[in-house]
Amino acid sequence: MIKVCSCQFEVEAGRPSDNLVKMLSFVKEAKGNNADIIIFPEMSIPGYFIGDTWDSSAFLHECEECGQELVAAATDIVIIFGNIAIDWKKKNRDGRCRKYNALFMAQNGHIVAPMDSVYPFAIKTLHPNYREFDDSRYFYSTAMLATELHTETANLIKPFTVTINDQKLKLGCILCEDGWSDDYPISPLDILCANNNLDAIINISASPYTLGKNNKRHRVFSQHAKKNNIPVFYVNKIGIQNNGKTVYTFDGSSTVYAVDGSIASYTPAYSEAASYIALNNETTAVQPINSDIETNDISCIYKALSYGISKFLQKIHMKKVVIGISGGIDSAVAAALYCQIIGPENVLLVNMPSIYNSATTKDLSKEMAQNLNCAYAVMPIQEVIDFTINQFENTPIQNFSQNIPEKIKISSFVAENIQARDRSARILAGLAAAIGAGFTCNANKAETTVGYSTLYGDQSGFLAALADLWKYQIYELAEYLNNEIYHKQVIPQAVIDIVPSAELSAEQNVNEGKGDPIKYLYHDYLFRSFVERWDKATPEDILQWYKDGTIEKEIGCADGLINKYFPTANDFINDLERWWNLFSGMAIAKRIQAPPIMAVSRRAYGFDQREAQNGPYYTRRYKKLKQELLSK
């Protein structure tokens, strides 16, 4: 029997020496537990999302040296790990030194090379260049190497052979994307399985968490195991990493799939643990066991946010936060989350009413603070707003022109923005600095999509933890926090029931049922179709679905909403164009300047959603459809 250890641990991006210390500790533990093989995740020494740090030779040398130390520790155990591999004699396409995202195997203090291999390591073959990934910017792939060597890519994908306890094992080792080959012209896993009589497939990964991704992975890897009658070991890292604008959690969820496709071993998400299982060389099977894999979406979202926020705060050494509490659902959920993560003693809630804020929302803000048992302050802003408006309107402009008048007149819309900026740029930022804290951005994804926020105002903060959640998910999270985390109603029911409103004018009076212009029951799903559909929807698609009477089915909202909200085609088209113009116009500028976003969805804003400021565009077919509908 061969005993295999899957090592799921927190990889610190850009800190190879720190990661090495952890890995050596796990190797020592695995040896004490009589493991024959220990498997670490992809890029477990350098980390994965480190930007152009990959262009630093000093950093690359550090990674090499750490890898050599880990190889030296491979006595009485086989170590499989991910690291950057450098061929200093060759160049990447950018003229810098050749770099490979590589898998190394070590035994008896030496590197074990794949069979008949060009290099003493396995190279990642399929380089993802979608969503958050940018692998081809830094790494050379097996396919690129094959072109250089004038050979077929399949000729460079080889298994490893190693002898353990007098048993000769043949292991097919792949890196992350190499197991997700449906949309690629080749399948590294199928190449390895063909005519090689493998004993196991090993997939080392650096796979960020995305809602629903694990369920798809279970289907894909179960099929691989069953199809090839070979157990599959999937080892993923935990921790958080970022590419500047978007923060990703790595959930681990390392899994062993038995030859029948069932789950034989599962390491719970976000836990740092070494998991052991026996590989029977004679039957190439592992003993299936029951797993308690969670399938509840909102539970998974909570875990990702809670873990991600906690780790992010640790990385930036922030222990206290200031939250603007409005009496609305977004700030209430943010307050409940942060109090749970860092403790209510480290949270200051601040209500900042103007003349437009109702007694209802002010009372709810106070009730939230009392329920959470955290610090609370009320800082009215009307006096400062009046002063600012008066200053603007009564300060003469020198050298004025036809385009810039001598006196500035403040419109009601500008006055709304002044309120939002005063709250964030003056009060929240000032308070945070005064107590050594940061202040949060509480925006949700619907608001972020169409820029329903004020630049340098409520779109400011150190982190937008909720900006990858649609409004309906915010409500689900509120219920989950009450029922499953706090086990009491810390978020008052009235907060959940009240109409969403910025309360920046008399037109947004919540006591009169007035609120945001976004009709979340419909617009959540419309906006989601702009962003999260793999084939992203455009106004042309939306208008065609409207014409066909299938729009509610296509975008996933409830039946009957279109007729309820839009009595005529003209109403529907005006609404569609209003939000599309914002989404592809000013909202992009706001998103570029927004705080980093904690990603949970299949398409988060930031580096995940690549955007250019080109302005809104309507296809010729859209214009024709519009004309047809309006002519009726």
Side-chain angles (χ1 to χ4, degrees):
M1 291 291 244
I2 305 297
K3 191 174 184 179
V4 181
C5 172
S6 297
C7 187
Q8 176 174 295
F9 79 104
E10 182 181 352
V11 176
E12 299 283 352
R15 298 182 178 274
S17 60
D18 294 346
N19 294 326
L20 174 63
V21 170
K22 279 189 176 182
M23 295 167 78
L24 290 173
S25 176
F26 276 113
V27 169
K28 183 179 179 180
E29 175 191 317
K31 288 180 181 180
N33 287 321
N34 298 314
D36 299 296
I37 301 173
I38 184 169
I39 308 169
F40 291 106
E42 178 186 17
M43 288 294 191
S44 48
I45 285 180
Y48 193 21
F49 296 156
I50 60 174
D52 284 352
T53 301
W54 290 121
D55 296 336
S56 166
S57 293
F59 179 79
L60 298 178
H61 281 297
E62 172 88 338
C63 294
E64 278 190 323
E65 292 167 4
C66 290
Q68 290 162 3
E69 287 187 44
L70 191 60
V71 169
T75 56
D76 302 318
I77 194 169
V78 172
I79 303 176
I80 299 172
F81 66 98
N83 195 9
I84 188 71
I86 308 102
D87 187 335
W88 297 99
K89 297 179 181 179
K90 292 187 176 182
K91 300 292 185 181
N92 264 2
R93 291 177 299 183
D94 61 1
R96 293 185 172 89
C97 64
R98 177 73 57 82
K99 297 180 285 289
Y100 298 103
N101 183 345
L103 177 148
F104 290 85
M105 183 180 295
Q107 185 182 37
N108 300 325
H110 298 285
I111 290 176
V112 177
M115 298 169 59
D116 305 319
S117 178
V118 176
Y119 287 109
F121 46 79
I123 301 169
K124 190 171 184 176
T125 300
L126 307 179
H127 281 183
N129 280 287
Y130 53 84
R131 293 206 55 197
E132 66 269 26
F133 302 108
D134 205 7
D135 284 29
S136 292
R137 178 180 176 90
Y138 306 108
F139 314 127
Y140 221 68
S141 70
T142 311
M144 294 162 65
L145 180 61
T147 300
E148 179 180 273
L149 298 177
H150 305 291
T151 188
E152 296 294 327
T153 303
N155 294 335
L156 302 180
I157 301 173
K158 302 291 184 179
F160 289 79
T161 300
V162 65
T163 300
I164 301 173
N165 302 333
D166 297 324
Q167 297 181 44
K168 189 174 182 179
L169 291 178
K170 194 177 284 186
L171 305 174
C173 297
I174 57 176
L175 293 97
C176 203
E177 188 80 355
D178 292 348
W180 300 75
S181 56
D182 286 354
D183 297 317
Y184 291 90
I186 63 171
S187 169
L189 195 148
D190 287 343
I191 291 169
L192 282 168
C193 290
N195 304 316
N196 277 320
N197 194 27
L198 299 178
D199 294 291
I201 287 288
I202 294 169
N203 179 290
I204 64 170
S205 286
S207 184
Y209 168 78
T210 298
L211 184 63
K213 186 177 184 179
N214 282 338
N215 289 333
K216 181 178 180 181
R217 174 174 53 78
H218 290 319
R219 292 194 300 270
V220 169
F221 282 81
S222 290
Q223 289 170 3
H224 283 317
K226 191 173 183 179
K227 172 185 173 182
N228 297 292
N229 197 41
I230 301 171
V232 176
F233 291 78
Y234 166 84
V235 182
N236 190 24
K237 64 178 67 175
I238 62 168
I240 66 166
Q241 297 185 27
N242 72 86
N243 44 31
K245 290 296 292 182
T246 317
V247 181
Y248 301 93
T249 64
F250 289 77
D251 63 328
S253 299
S254 301
T255 309
V256 179
Y257 300 89
V259 294
D260 63 355
S262 62
I263 293 174
S265 177
Y266 174 77
T267 307
Y270 305 111
S271 62
E272 191 167 74
S275 177
Y276 298 87
I277 195 165
L279 171 65
N280 186 324
N281 190 44
E282 294 180 358
T283 62
T284 65
V286 286
Q287 181 63 41
I289 60 173
N290 293 325
S291 65
D292 57 351
I293 300 171
E294 200 155 19
T295 56
N296 183 290
D297 283 355
I298 202 63
S299 172
C300 293
I301 288 174
Y302 169 77
K303 285 183 179 180
L305 289 176
S306 180
Y307 180 82
I309 293 169
S310 175
K311 290 297 179 181
F312 188 77
L313 291 172
Q314 290 174 25
K315 283 186 179 294
I316 63 175
H317 306 289
M318 185 179 290
K319 298 181 179 179
K320 294 179 284 187
V321 297
V322 176
I323 301 174
I325 189 82
S326 66
I329 190 69
D330 298 326
S331 61
V333 167
L337 264 177
Y338 279 95
C339 282
Q340 181 66 26
I341 292 165
I342 61 175
E345 68 276 10
N346 294 310
V347 176
L348 169 60
L349 301 185
V350 187
N351 183 246
M352 298 162 284
S354 73
I355 57 173
Y356 300 115
N357 290 97
S358 67
T360 300
T361 54
K362 287 185 281 189
D363 290 345
L364 288 173
S365 297
K366 183 178 181 180
E367 186 178 349
M368 270 292 303
Q370 291 172 335
N371 291 349
L372 292 169
N373 194 31
C374 62
Y376 176 66
V378 179
M379 295 193 176
I381 64 169
Q382 194 60 49
E383 185 178 353
V384 175
I385 300 305
D386 292 340
F387 176 85
T388 301
I389 293 174
N390 181 67
Q391 186 178 40
F392 285 173
E393 292 189 332
N394 292 289
T395 299
I397 304 297
Q398 299 181 22
N399 299 322
F400 60 91
S401 66
Q402 183 177 355
N403 294 325
I404 301 176
E406 182 181 8
K407 290 289 184 74
I408 302 295
K409 177 63 178 176
I410 300 301
S411 67
S412 59
F413 176 73
V414 173
E416 292 180 20
N417 288 333
I418 290 171
Q419 294 174 62
R421 291 192 182 100
D422 188 72
R423 285 176 173 134
S424 292
R426 184 175 72 88
I427 294 181
L428 295 180
L431 277 176
I435 66 172
F439 72 97
T440 66
C441 175
N442 303 328
N444 60 59
K445 195 165 187 175
E447 295 169 343
T448 305
T449 296
V450 292
Y452 186 61
S453 59
T454 300
L455 199 57
Y456 319 124
D458 52 329
Q459 198 160 11
S460 302
F462 75 91
L463 176 68
L466 304 178
D468 201 23
L469 272 66
W470 301 105
K471 195 76 168 185
Y472 71 87
Q473 293 173 313
I474 298 287
Y475 282 107
E476 290 175 4
L477 188 55
E479 299 283 2
Y480 185 84
L481 285 162
N482 279 346
N483 299 332
E484 304 298 331
I485 304 303
Y486 285 94
H487 303 291
K488 60 180 181 179
Q489 201 167 62
V490 293
I491 299 175
Q493 187 62 41
V495 170
I496 297 171
D497 294 339
I498 199 170
V499 60
S501 174
E503 289 192 297
L504 293 172
S505 71
E507 298 305 310
Q508 297 173 328
N509 188 318
V510 295
N511 288 332
E512 297 176 5
K514 300 175 181 178
D516 295 342
I518 302 174
K519 300 175 176 65
Y520 293 102
L521 292 177
Y522 164 65
H523 287 128
D524 260 358
Y525 299 89
L526 175 69
F527 300 164
R528 189 178 69 176
S529 74
F530 295 166
V531 183
E532 293 186 15
R533 283 175 65 100
W534 201 248
D535 182 10
K536 295 181 180 180
T538 68
E540 177 186 317
D541 301 308
I542 301 298
L543 210 55
Q544 183 65 59
W545 297 334
Y546 173 78
K547 179 183 177 183
D548 295 342
T550 61
I551 182 169
E552 291 157 338
K553 179 182 178 181
E554 290 286 352
I555 67 175
C557 70
D559 291 340
L561 290 180
I562 301 302
N563 290 335
K564 175 182 178 182
Y565 291 141
F566 312 110
T568 68
N570 187 59
D571 294 325
F572 180 85
I573 290 170
N574 286 340
D575 180 83
L576 173 61
E577 292 186 356
R578 172 188 184 179
W579 298 117
W580 179 259
N581 289 343
L582 288 170
F583 164 69
S584 53
M586 180 55 71
I588 297 178
K590 292 183 178 182
R591 288 192 289 271
I592 289 171
Q593 298 182 68
I597 288 172
M598 186 68 63
V600 296
S601 77
R602 64 186 297 171
R603 182 76 66 170
Y605 287 116
F607 195 80
D608 191 357
Q609 167 83 354
R610 314 286 176 95
E611 299 187 282
Q613 297 188 70
N614 297 328
Y617 179 76
Y618 296 89
T619 64
R620 287 174 294 180
R621 176 164 166 70
Y622 171 81
K623 293 174 183 178
K624 182 179 180 182
L625 282 167
K626 177 180 176 180
Q627 188 176 22
E628 288 177 8
L629 287 166
L630 293 181
S631 65
K632 294 179 180 180

